[in-house]
Amino acid sequence: MKKYKMMTCLLLSVLVLSGCESSSSVTENTTETEEVATDNILVGFSQLGAESDWRSANTQSMKDAFSEENGYGLIFNDGQQKQTNQITAIRTFIQQDVDYIVLAPVTESGWDSVLEEAKDANIPVILVDRLVDVSDKSLYQCWVGSDFELEGIKVCQWLHEYTVANEISDEDLHIVDLQGTIGSTAQLGRSRGLNEVAMEYGWDVVALRDADFTQEKGREVMASLLREYDNINVVYCENDNEAIGAIKAIEAAGLVAGKDIANGEIMVLSFDGINEEALQYAREGKIACIGECNPMHGPRVAAMIEMLNRGEEPEKFNYVDEGIFSALPDVTTITVDGEEYAVTAP
Ligand code: GYE
């Protein structure tokens, strides 16, 4: 293991002064380096952003795992949902000669050159949450995250079982997909999951729109879809923050988010299960079903680093087990590829 010098506290602040009379200011801390002792393992973590509650929980899990008490020094960088920021962060980590680079990539393509630079510098790269699409898979050591396509299929399978239990015919479903950040692994997998099950049952997917995994975009996009189409009765939100936004739009339009789709209600489906407000909506039935997505990757990545430090090779792809939540009594289990999943209380 490489050793490194005592690092001083560095806080990179970008001060953006707004031009308006009140001259309010916004300070964004993009890079944080803790004071770390020699001998600790130095990790540079490029987090993609802070777009959702899932992301905040993930950031916290990583910070907790890579604490000084646990024998680490962490350089944390928030890429603010921009790949260019993440590439710059990785180049900075290389200059700082970190022991490991951990990357949660915003989207999948365009990582080849910077990961080659890390490889040339002999710095192992570990991917967390989302994947990169590179032709040379040796550009990263390993990955830990979710099976996003399976998450999507599970939620859609729940919808199928719900329609069977309530004698709703397939042709009466009119679904819109509020997609996550286009080109991200989570979006690609969840959109694929919906597409697959919709093809199987002949469901009408009315529209697919980018809502960037944020509440505000979820609200905005749902509001405009409701103006464009008058037959929407299911909204498949690719995360909980979008779902909260979509519910606000549904209610603002004088409609009801709920399970009674035969009588004009709009059923909300979602993913994550970490945001308290969304879980509360799920308990009330405003969100019908949530596909769990587990953000607690800090200890998992730390375990991989510890293996690499001992000269062992972690598995290349590491999927976490996840459940499915619903407060509606109609469906108690779903089966995907012969595997049974219990539907549990949110
Ligand atoms: O579901 C969403 C976040 O990539 C799994 O990103 C992650 C997704 C998560 O913004 O809330």
Side-chain angles (χ1 to χ4, degrees):
M1 192 223 328
K2 268 180 288 177
K3 299 264 167 77
Y4 61 94
K5 305 259 157 51
M6 178 79 98
M7 305 208 36
T8 47
C9 192
L10 166 85
L11 209 63
L12 209 92
S13 301
V14 186
L15 189 68
V16 185
L17 281 173
S18 80
C20 62
E21 316 87 80
S22 65
S23 73
S24 60
S25 65
V26 183
T27 307
E28 290 166 359
N29 296 322
T30 54
T31 302
E32 300 160 23
T33 308
E34 284 162 21
E35 189 142 327
V36 286
T38 333
D39 287 343
N40 283 13
I41 302 169
L42 186 59
V43 171
F45 174 37
S46 169
Q47 175 61 290
L48 64 93
E51 74 287 359
S52 67
D53 292 85
W54 189 99
R55 190 65 49 202
S56 312
N58 177 247
T59 295
Q60 196 52 50
S61 169
M62 300 292 279
K63 286 184 175 175
D64 291 346
F66 297 109
S67 65
E68 213 190 319
E69 306 84 76
N70 290 348
Y72 291 94
L74 176 66
I75 309 175
F76 174 84
N77 182 275
D78 175 349
Q80 305 188 340
Q81 299 254 67
K82 290 197 180 70
Q83 186 181 34
T84 49
N85 291 343
Q86 292 201 277
I87 289 173
T88 305
I90 294 171
R91 296 210 164 112
T92 310
F93 297 156
I94 295 171
Q95 280 163 16
Q96 288 165 315
D97 199 22
V98 298
D99 296 303
Y100 294 91
I101 291 173
V102 179
L103 169 65
V106 60
T107 45
E108 291 196 348
S109 58
W111 296 99
D112 300 75
S113 319
V114 74
L115 295 189
E116 264 156 34
E117 290 166 37
K119 193 180 181 188
D120 291 344
N122 279 320
I123 302 174
V125 173
I126 296 171
L127 302 178
V128 62
D129 168 24
R130 302 179 184 172
L131 275 158
V132 296
D133 180 13
V134 288
S135 44
D136 176 4
K137 298 276 181 288
S138 79
L139 291 178
Y140 57 89
Q141 283 286 330
C142 49
W143 165 86
V144 62
S146 307
D147 186 334
F148 301 113
E149 185 172 339
L150 175 62
E151 289 177 352
I153 292 173
K154 275 155 54 181
V155 167
C156 292
Q157 201 56 37
W158 180 93
L159 175 60
H160 168 70
E161 297 295 345
Y162 179 87
T163 59
V164 171
N166 290 279
E167 294 174 2
I168 296 164
S169 67
D170 287 327
E171 70 251 26
D172 289 334
L173 292 184
H174 304 287
I175 306 169
V176 288
D177 182 359
L178 300 195
Q179 296 177 291
T181 306
I182 301 298
S184 68
T185 313
Q187 176 273 314
L188 293 166
R190 290 173 188 162
S191 295
R192 215 165 29 231
L194 169 63
N195 183 52
E196 250 172 64
V197 182
M199 298 268 282
E200 187 179 342
Y201 298 117
W203 291 345
D204 170 29
V205 179
V206 178
L208 305 103
R209 294 279 162 82
D210 177 12
D212 212 16
F213 286 130
T214 68
Q215 180 170 328
E216 192 37 36
K217 276 279 246 161
R219 194 198 54 75
E220 224 175 77
V221 172
M222 188 63 190
S224 88
L225 285 167
L226 288 171
R227 284 191 297 269
E228 278 172 68
Y229 303 95
D230 61 7
N231 63 346
I232 299 168
N233 54 16
V234 178
V235 54
Y236 177 87
C237 303
E238 293 190 10
N239 81 347
D240 282 339
N241 292 81
E242 292 181 356
I244 294 168
I247 291 168
K248 290 194 192 312
I250 291 167
E251 292 177 349
L255 299 165
V256 176
K259 62 173 182 172
D260 197 2
I261 51 181
N263 289 302
E265 294 189 351
I266 299 180
M267 175 175 280
V268 180
L269 306 172
S270 181
F271 296 90
D272 285 352
I274 189 81
N275 174 300
E276 203 25 63
E277 192 180 352
L279 286 167
Q280 188 51 38
Y281 281 153
R283 288 176 204 123
E284 293 164 12
K286 279 193 189 187
I287 297 179
C289 178
I290 299 179
E292 184 194 9
C293 185
N294 185 314
M296 304 308 181
H297 295 319
R300 300 179 181 122
V301 178
M304 289 168 157
I305 288 182
E306 277 141 37
M307 281 185 82
L308 290 166
N309 257 357
R310 290 194 299 268
E312 297 164 20
E313 189 132 330
E315 289 284 321
K316 189 95 182 176
F317 297 99
N318 300 272
Y319 292 94
V320 298
D321 289 335
E322 295 170 328
I324 177 159
F325 308 128
S326 176
L328 306 183
D330 314 74
V331 183
T332 53
T333 58
I334 51 149
T335 305
V336 178
D337 289 335
E339 182 93 29
E340 200 173 274
Y341 300 88
V343 179
T344 59

